[in-house]
Amino acid sequence: MPASRNSRPYVVLNAAMSLDGKIATFTGDSRMSSPADMRRVHRLRASVDAIMVGLRTLLRDDPKLTVRFVKAPKPYRIIVDSNALSPSSSHVVRTAREIPTIIAVTSRAPKKRVEALKEKGVTVILCGRGPLVSLKLLLNHLRSLRIRRILLEGGGTLNWSMLSNQLVDEISVAITPRILGGSTATTLIEGKGNALVRDAIQLKLLGSARYGPDLVVRYKVLGGINSADR
Ligand SMILES: NC(=O)c1ccc[n+]([C@@H]2O[C@H](COP(=O)([O-])OP(=O)(O)OC[C@H]3O[C@@H](n4cnc5c(N)ncnc54)[C@H](OP(=O)(O)O)[C@@H]3O)[C@@H](O)[C@H]2O)c1
């Protein structure tokens, strides 16, 4: 189903990355933003209707996905989790009655798991038959919930799926002054990738700024449905 202009929310991808493109070490350790960059991220969170992450980020980091340092309405939290494997003990599930929390699953997710999440106050959205969550269905559904602006906070696998489905409009990356190395360490964008440079997802530099020791670069994604340059 082709998406018409503005039929889905505007999506901003944000991450903190080492100079060599890693968003985590090979053990999955990912805390690398400076305090100045953390404040920028929370201002960004305060400007969106929802914050979205993939299942492996939830399992590895157990993030809160809340807004701190800034007074703002609570954005939805969205977990992309085909088989409803988000643990009941995770912070987002435990606090789902206080902060609106959506878990996007496929019809392959065991009913028992789905019911257990719903009992905790999670809104479970069915997005296709799998094996992975249909991100296009998810974003169309989110629009119907009046979610207009989403912050995509990784990880690399979900970032690739969102980008390769033309569902990302803008990218902000904090380049942190370190090199992590490691051939199995998660990079900003994972997935299959492009065979040829000419097939790359094209970007346009919007700006750059220093936040403490970090350099934040912002790009517009060209060719997306919300792009003026398509
Ligand atoms: N530095 C940073 O800014 C930053 C930010 C975020 C994360 N991280 C790090 O990144 C690492 C995790 O990244 P990751 O790449 O391994 O995993 P991820 O992108 O967080 O999660 C990927 C998982 O999402 C689920 N998924 C469901 N539908 C999907 C779809 N259509 N496309 C893609 N994924 C889908 C899949 O699991 P199922 O098949 O089970 O559903 C998939 O394995 C962690 O170490 C975390 O700490 C760093």
Side-chain angles (χ1 to χ4, degrees):
M1 186 175 59
S4 63
R5 183 175 284 262
N6 294 334
S7 67
R8 65 158 177 85
Y10 190 88
V11 177
V12 179
L13 185 164
N14 184 74
M17 182 182 88
S18 60
L19 180 63
D20 53 332
K22 313 292 184 190
I23 59 169
T25 65
F26 71 86
T27 65
D29 186 22
S30 66
R31 282 169 217 283
M32 62 181 104
S33 280
S34 64
D37 187 53
M38 282 311 289
R39 283 192 291 279
R40 176 192 66 86
V41 171
H42 283 276
R43 282 197 298 277
L44 194 51
R45 286 182 175 183
S47 74
V48 299
D49 304 309
I51 305 166
M52 179 160 119
V53 298
L55 176 68
R56 288 208 293 261
T57 294
L58 178 80
L59 296 178
R60 179 60 182 76
D61 299 348
D62 193 17
K64 292 191 174 71
L65 304 179
T66 53
V67 180
R68 277 161 276 159
F69 315 122
V70 188
K71 231 175 130 67
K74 294 173 182 164
Y76 279 88
R77 300 176 297 192
I78 302 167
I79 314 300
V80 181
D81 170 11
S82 318
N83 299 299
L85 294 175
S86 299
S88 303
S89 57
S90 61
H91 183 88
V92 290
V93 175
R94 279 191 286 112
T95 57
R97 293 200 190 284
E98 294 138 50
I99 304 171
T101 303
I102 292 171
I103 298 189
V105 303
T106 66
S107 56
R108 298 180 186 205
K111 302 251 168 326
K112 244 180 145 173
R113 286 289 317 140
V114 168
E115 285 314 311
L117 291 171
K118 285 183 178 170
E119 270 169 32
K120 296 273 187 181
V122 170
T123 301
V124 178
I125 300 181
L126 193 66
C127 302
R129 284 180 284 184
L132 293 175
V133 169
S134 163
L135 299 170
K136 286 185 180 166
L137 286 181
L138 172 61
L139 263 66
N140 285 339
H141 193 103
L142 296 176
R143 180 78 190 184
S144 73
L145 295 177
R146 294 172 180 268
I147 292 176
R148 294 194 168 82
R149 208 173 141 82
I150 295 177
L151 182 60
L152 169 62
E153 292 201 15
T157 305
L158 183 61
N159 288 348
W160 166 257
S161 292
M162 288 287 288
L163 273 161
S164 57
N165 278 289
Q166 294 191 307
L167 299 174
V168 179
D169 301 291
E170 210 177 300
I171 300 178
S172 307
V173 178
I175 302 170
T176 72
R178 51 171 65 83
I179 288 174
L180 291 173
S183 57
T184 59
T186 307
T187 62
L188 177 64
I189 312 293
E190 292 284 328
K192 184 164 183 275
N194 290 302
L196 298 172
V197 172
R198 69 159 187 257
D199 297 332
I201 295 160
Q202 302 293 326
L203 309 174
K204 177 180 166 191
L205 184 64
L206 294 177
S208 61
R210 211 178 153 146
Y211 286 83
D214 302 335
L215 176 66
V216 175
V217 283
R218 284 184 52 236
Y219 295 91
K220 177 96 193 148
V221 180
L222 304 180
I225 64 161
N226 285 315
S227 168
D229 306 81
R230 63 196 298 231

